[in-house]
Amino acid sequence: MIMMFGSQKDLADIGGWNAADVKALHEFMTEWNNDLVESGEFVDAQGLSQPAHARRVSLRDGAPVVTDGPYAETQEVLVGYTTVDCASYDRATEIAARLANTPHPEDSDLGREWYVDIRPCADGFEDLEL
């Protein structure tokens, strides 16, 4: 699974991009996804709604406690994922590395390096062991 992270600010900033920058982002992501479909490696992908729509559920004394997001202590959250089925972990790394080239306005500053995480999906309990 290739996981993309961002903050509420990142997502809000995209709303201020000009039409050409938004179009470049959409074209890049469409091509990236279509390449995976054509290679037979695409399994699933979803973008997630803004962190403001998140809800955290925990238990306190056995009763559910619900907290609406976004959460001040959380800087970055999962904003989307793509699941691939490919020949190797190295191939998954190659696929994820293409996202390092995601277009964005030249004057935009995330305040950090753009990154994605990749992790194998566990097929069973034995896959959870180190």
Side-chain angles (χ1 to χ4, degrees), residues 54-58 65-69 71:
R55 187 173 277 175
R56 181 168 291 159
V57 180
S58 60
V65 176
V66 178
T67 307
D68 289 331
Y71 313 108

Side-chain angles (χ1 to χ4, degrees), residues 25-80:
L25 174 64
H26 283 279
E27 288 174 349
F28 174 87
M29 293 305 296
T30 298
E31 180 181 343
W32 187 76
N33 280 301
N34 287 345
D35 288 349
L36 292 172
V37 170
E38 289 174 15
S39 71
E41 296 169 309
F42 180 86
V43 175
D44 184 35
Q46 289 292 316
L48 302 176
S49 65
Q50 294 201 18
H53 300 293
R55 187 173 277 175
R56 181 168 291 159
V57 180
S58 60
L59 291 178
R60 188 169 299 138
D61 298 324
V65 176
V66 178
T67 307
D68 289 331
Y71 313 108
E73 70 277 8
T74 303
Q75 295 299 313
E76 295 175 357
V77 296
L78 184 67
V79 296

Side-chain angles (χ1 to χ4, degrees), residues 3-129:
M3 298 167 284
M4 292 143 280
F5 293 86
S7 68
Q8 183 72 43
K9 179 188 175 306
D10 297 337
L11 295 170
D13 286 352
I14 291 173
W17 290 9
N18 67 46
D21 289 328
V22 172
K23 181 180 180 195
L25 174 64
H26 283 279
E27 288 174 349
F28 174 87
M29 293 305 296
T30 298
E31 180 181 343
W32 187 76
N33 280 301
N34 287 345
D35 288 349
L36 292 172
V37 170
E38 289 174 15
S39 71
E41 296 169 309
F42 180 86
V43 175
D44 184 35
Q46 289 292 316
L48 302 176
S49 65
Q50 294 201 18
H53 300 293
R55 187 173 277 175
R56 181 168 291 159
V57 180
S58 60
L59 291 178
R60 188 169 299 138
D61 298 324
V65 176
V66 178
T67 307
D68 289 331
Y71 313 108
E73 70 277 8
T74 303
Q75 295 299 313
E76 295 175 357
V77 296
L78 184 67
V79 296
Y81 69 87
T82 299
T83 305
V84 296
D85 184 6
C86 52
S88 67
Y89 200 50
D90 288 339
R91 174 62 183 143
T93 301
E94 290 173 13
I95 293 167
R98 282 188 61 196
L99 287 178
N101 220 8
T102 300
H104 57 279
E106 289 186 26
D107 62 346
S108 65
D109 179 17
L110 293 175
R112 67 187 185 299
E113 293 294 320
W114 168 250
Y115 69 91
V116 296
D117 286 350
I118 58 173
R119 288 173 56 189
C121 294
D123 290 326
F125 184 75
E126 61 279 354
D127 291 339
L128 298 176
E129 296 181 31

